[in-house]
Amino acid sequence: MEEHIKVLQFLIDKPSIDVIDGLSEVSVRAFKELRDQGLVKGIDISGDTSEYFEFMIPEITLSGRQLLAKSKCV
């Protein structure tokens, strides 16, 4: 869960980031899991592979912001 919180905070701290991929400062797999749950948004530009993920225009959703706020209260 720590990697997921790190992704959410990263998106708050760097709202102008263009791409999340394997070269990003945060885990692209954690981003994908958050996206699958509706906590972040991003356009999947990965292509036909399930081994390499890449998302364009990543951003945190309201639900993601709420989860991040709750994590800081614990």
Side-chain angles (χ1 to χ4, degrees):
M1 186 71 167
E2 185 177 324
E3 282 295 314
H4 298 85
I5 298 302
K6 187 176 176 182
V7 170
L8 295 173
Q9 188 62 55
F10 179 79
L11 293 173
I12 294 286
D13 294 342
K14 299 187 179 185
S16 62
I17 188 102
D18 293 327
V19 173
I20 298 269
D21 61 15
L23 301 175
S24 296
E25 294 176 42
V26 293
S27 168
V28 69
R29 289 199 181 275
F31 180 90
K32 182 185 182 311
E33 291 170 356
L34 289 166
R35 183 176 172 269
D36 291 347
Q37 296 298 313
L39 299 169
V40 299
K41 297 190 292 185
I43 300 167
D44 186 351
I45 55 172
S46 304
D48 293 337
T49 181
S50 62
E51 295 177 18
Y52 182 80
F53 300 111
E54 188 173 13
F55 298 93
M56 189 171 71
I57 313 172
E59 62 182 281
I60 188 170
T61 65
L62 179 58
S63 296
R65 289 176 186 276
Q66 291 169 336
L67 177 67
L68 183 60
K70 284 180 187 177
S71 75
K72 292 181 178 182
C73 293
V74 173

